[in-house]
Amino acid sequence: MRRFWHEYAENRVALFALIVVVCVIAAALLAPWIAPQDPFDLAALDLTDARRPPGTVGSSGMTHWLGTDAQGRDLLSAILFGLRISLQMGVAAGAVALTIGVTLGLLAAHAGGWIENAVMRVIDLQLAFPPILLALVLVAILGQGKLPLIVALVAAQYAYFARTAYGAAAAERQKEYVEAARATPLSPARVVFGHILPNCLPPLMVVATVQVANAIALEATLSFLGLGLPPTEPSLGMLIANGFPYMMSGRSWISIYPGVALIILIVAINLVGDQLRDQFNPRLRR
Amino acid sequence: MTGYIIQRLLQAALVMLAMSALVFVGVHAIGNPIDLLISPDATQDIRAAVIAHYGLDQPLWRQYLAFLGRLLSGDLGRSLVFNIPVTELVFSRLPATLELALSAVLIGAFVGVPLGIWAGYRPDSAISRGIMAVSVLGFSVPTFWVGLILILTFAVNLGWLPAGSRGPTVEVFGIGWSFLTLEGLSFMLLPVLNLSLFKLALMIRLARAGTREVMLSDTVKFARAAGLSEFTILRHHVLRLIAIPLVTVFGLEFGSTLAFAVVTETIFSWPGVGKLIIDSITSLDRPVMVGYLVLVAFLFVTLNLVVDLSYALLDPRLRRGGRAA
């Protein structure tokens, strides 16, 4: 573990990315306490403050460091709360997709026979279908809201976890320690989750990091297209969409800053994932 | 080989059947399209007549069978909003999307693969690091955001290129195309750039990962020992060895590019099928949704088939021994 961390820290970019991710998560968690304004409190908003450029001092005497949006909301506060919602959706969808996907993948690898064929055929089919289209259709069918959106994100992503878990488990099941564990009176579930799963974790960790980033991006895209969360829960994607009409008239900050926050988050998570992937790939070690 | 082809064809047909059923049932779970079609103060009789006219009073499985029968004769029904056949509607929008998607995929392949091979060949050079930085950005930054920035930079701030819509088209074979005139190209440039960035990043990554692994292999050691030039090694050995995953992804990515066009077309108001599906979702135009999804599913199944078959051509082992695995 210590060596692993040491090797990780050797890559300056990855180390910086990790620090950024931790800071962003902290900012999102602490949003209600560190945000200058409560963006959901309509009483605190003043329409005369609407669409002010960054650095303007608002009517209540506070400085809007990143400007305000069309409703006169302080953009910095809106972004902090938006991060919170975006992260929430990404992590929730990622966790559910991980659970379902890994269970399916391990089941397929362990059971073999027609179950293996049937499950993997469906998964392959799904992987060939673009996630955004699947999510789009599901959101259209299920309607707007947090739960439908999570269902759509999970449906679009679980297959990646299943594929990875299956690949790793299929390689592990040939090994002697699995045979040895099977020879003991342990239950099959115990063998799968207690013995095979831990050895499949490295590739799964990589996929999990990348998929959380993907879920956040996908959620933002859907929200941008107007098919995501309802306006009462503005994620970063919706903040960007709200600013889009004002972009042509030169008030670009309303879209730009939420977008910058979104990208910093996604790129940082992906960089961490990249480093993990390189470190876990035995073929790159000589 | 023939047996393999027949088996794959049957599989593809089965998948299509399952997909059409899924899409049909799924889409019909959404809202009630009748309320959109007739005014709220229409009498009960008119209402019943309209419902009967569109066959919405039949049980779902009957509607599906009727749909399937029409589908086999190439009829996808009429759009509830535009009142023209769905096939006609989709095909009138398809050239615009194909134009975008093809350009994007070609850029991805012909620019991305060489860059990726270079990045894998000299992983520690400054150029490679630059290439990888672009790739990480292209991979992780959402398409819609890139589109926004492109519009902001080139249309709003610099005023060089139009911010959206398709502009004038040239009629060839009765279909309007943009890429034939300079003005049309100026309208195409930003959307294509937007759509291709993701492909580019993907191709760079795959080519780099493949090259890095192949460069360590015995094949390359032997080729070097035989005194082949580095370029010949890259061109003949590395490219050939990494070709299989690249061809797969290329084929599949063409399909997903059509899907991703949804986002790009919405941002740039490009009148293609992607914008059509978003509009039909918001207006609950069921026949268009079902028709589009069935067409996309068909496209995917066909592409999968082609990719699988081209495996057999690229990998002599598969050609002789049937399917490995």
Side-chain angles (χ1 to χ4, degrees):
Chain A
M1 188 68 209
R2 200 181 195 140
R3 230 188 65 206
F4 187 82
W5 169 246
H6 201 73
E7 202 176 320
Y8 185 96
E10 260 177 29
N11 185 339
R12 285 294 142 83
V13 179
L15 187 64
F16 180 69
L18 185 66
I19 295 171
V20 170
V21 172
V22 171
C23 288
V24 170
I25 292 176
L29 286 178
L30 298 174
W33 294 280
I34 59 172
Q37 185 192 57
D38 179 1
F40 300 121
D41 182 10
L42 292 175
L45 303 182
D46 192 341
L47 270 181
T48 54
D49 288 342
R51 300 191 289 277
R52 296 288 178 153
T56 313
V57 178
S59 53
S60 55
M62 81 188 242
T63 314
H64 300 295
W65 294 111
L66 298 181
T68 60
D69 71 0
Q71 278 86 45
R73 247 197 294 253
D74 177 52
L75 213 50
L76 178 62
S77 317
I79 289 173
L80 286 171
F81 277 84
L83 267 179
R84 208 173 145 87
I85 293 168
S86 287
L87 263 174
Q88 211 180 346
M89 302 300 298
V91 171
V96 178
L98 176 85
T99 318
I100 296 177
V102 168
T103 313
L104 270 180
L106 289 180
L107 178 80
H110 184 75
W114 67 270
I115 299 182
E116 177 178 359
N117 277 330
V119 172
M120 291 325 288
R121 217 61 221 124
V122 172
I123 303 263
D124 280 344
L125 192 72
Q126 240 221 287
L127 283 176
F129 213 70
I132 182 149
L133 213 59
L134 199 70
L136 213 67
V137 174
L138 279 174
V139 167
I141 294 172
L142 301 171
Q144 292 194 329
K146 271 190 183 173
L147 203 62
L149 197 55
I150 289 184
V151 172
L153 294 177
V154 168
Q157 298 198 302
Y158 82 94
Y160 294 91
F161 289 106
R163 178 88 250 182
T164 314
Y166 171 78
E172 290 297 321
R173 74 177 163 188
Q174 315 287 348
K175 295 189 181 162
E176 276 171 5
Y177 79 92
V178 176
E179 224 168 286
R182 276 194 182 151
T184 60
L186 292 175
S187 72
R190 186 87 192 265
V191 175
V192 171
F193 291 105
H195 294 258
I196 299 181
L197 181 60
N199 287 298
C200 302
L201 278 182
L204 282 173
M205 270 171 66
V206 175
V207 177
T209 7
V210 175
Q211 287 303 320
V212 167
N214 280 352
I216 294 173
L218 194 57
E219 186 277 324
T221 306
L222 289 172
S223 290
F224 179 78
L225 292 174
L227 298 167
L229 293 172
T232 44
E233 287 163 295
S235 69
L236 290 174
M238 179 156 292
L239 291 176
I240 297 169
N242 286 343
F244 188 42
Y246 300 103
M247 204 147 153
M248 299 296 170
S249 54
R251 299 190 183 88
S252 53
W253 67 87
I254 308 179
S255 276
I256 295 291
Y257 291 123
V260 170
L262 178 71
I263 282 156
I264 290 176
L265 177 63
I266 296 175
V267 171
I269 297 179
N270 274 332
L271 283 173
V272 172
D274 262 9
Q275 174 67 18
L276 289 182
R277 186 197 315 260
D278 281 357
Q279 261 177 272
F280 283 136
N281 188 352
R283 271 186 283 190
L284 292 180
R285 291 171 185 276
R286 268 163 297 169
Chain B
M1 187 73 190
T2 326
Y4 175 59
I5 294 178
I6 294 174
Q7 187 197 338
R8 287 295 288 115
L9 276 174
L10 275 177
Q11 222 169 34
L14 211 71
V15 168
M16 266 317 290
L17 193 70
M19 286 300 278
S20 69
L22 263 175
V23 166
F24 191 81
V25 173
V27 169
H28 280 69
I30 317 172
N32 181 1
I34 284 302
D35 298 333
L36 271 137
L37 288 170
I38 50 178
S39 72
D41 42 63
T43 63
Q44 209 43 253
D45 290 346
I46 296 178
R47 206 181 151 80
V50 173
I51 291 178
H53 176 74
Y54 286 106
L56 295 169
D57 53 345
Q58 304 280 335
L60 197 59
W61 63 271
R62 245 175 202 286
Q63 288 187 42
Y64 174 64
L65 282 185
F67 166 77
L68 212 59
R70 279 182 274 122
L71 187 69
L72 288 177
S73 56
D75 177 11
L76 286 167
R78 294 178 86 82
S79 157
L80 300 179
V81 175
F82 297 96
N83 200 26
I84 54 171
V86 171
T87 19
E88 200 178 298
L89 189 64
V90 171
F91 280 114
S92 73
R93 301 283 194 97
L94 204 56
T97 303
L98 279 180
E99 208 172 35
L100 278 192
L102 263 180
S103 323
V105 170
L106 288 180
I107 290 180
F110 286 105
V111 180
V113 172
L115 288 181
I117 291 182
W118 181 258
Y121 177 63
R122 290 258 176 275
D124 294 316
S125 78
I127 301 176
S128 300
R129 283 182 192 281
I131 295 174
M132 284 322 285
V134 172
S135 151
V136 168
L137 278 180
F139 217 61
S140 37
V141 177
T143 309
F144 77 95
W145 175 251
V146 177
L148 237 67
I149 295 298
L150 286 176
I151 291 182
L152 185 68
T153 320
F154 293 103
V156 178
N157 288 348
L158 294 172
W160 289 351
L161 293 165
S165 87
R166 199 179 174 195
T169 54
V170 180
E171 294 256 329
V172 177
F173 305 123
I175 304 165
W177 301 98
S178 289
F179 70 95
L180 294 168
T181 58
L182 214 57
E183 197 184 356
L185 278 177
S186 76
F187 277 91
M188 256 180 90
L189 188 59
L190 287 186
V192 166
L193 217 64
N194 184 201
L195 202 55
S196 68
L197 197 66
F198 183 81
K199 314 294 140 204
L200 201 66
L202 192 67
M203 285 294 169
I204 290 177
R205 263 183 182 219
L206 286 171
R208 171 182 176 260
T211 309
R212 273 189 88 175
E213 274 171 23
V214 172
M215 287 313 284
L216 301 178
S217 70
D218 294 339
T219 317
V220 171
K221 274 183 212 148
F222 277 113
R224 276 189 177 144
L228 295 177
S229 77
E230 292 290 291
F231 179 77
T232 318
I233 293 175
L234 285 181
R235 165 80 184 68
H236 286 284
H237 297 280
V238 176
L239 186 61
R240 178 160 283 204
L241 281 171
I242 63 174
I244 288 193
L246 286 181
V247 169
T248 317
V249 175
F250 185 83
L252 297 177
E253 275 307 300
F254 179 64
S256 83
T257 311
L258 290 179
F260 264 101
V262 170
V263 179
T264 302
E265 286 176 10
T266 309
I267 298 171
F268 290 94
S269 333
W270 188 266
V273 281
K275 201 158 161 12
L276 184 69
I277 181 75
I278 292 280
D279 292 345
S280 70
I281 287 177
T282 38
S283 61
L284 283 183
D285 198 346
R286 275 183 192 172
V288 177
M289 285 164 74
V290 175
Y292 172 85
L293 290 172
V294 168
L295 278 179
V296 170
F298 179 71
L299 199 83
F300 267 95
V301 171
T302 316
L303 282 173
N304 262 316
L305 197 64
V306 172
V307 166
D308 269 7
L309 294 182
S310 55
Y311 264 13
L313 293 176
L314 283 170
D315 192 338
R317 277 172 301 181
L318 285 176
R319 205 165 4 183
R320 254 174 267 126
R323 199 151 188 225

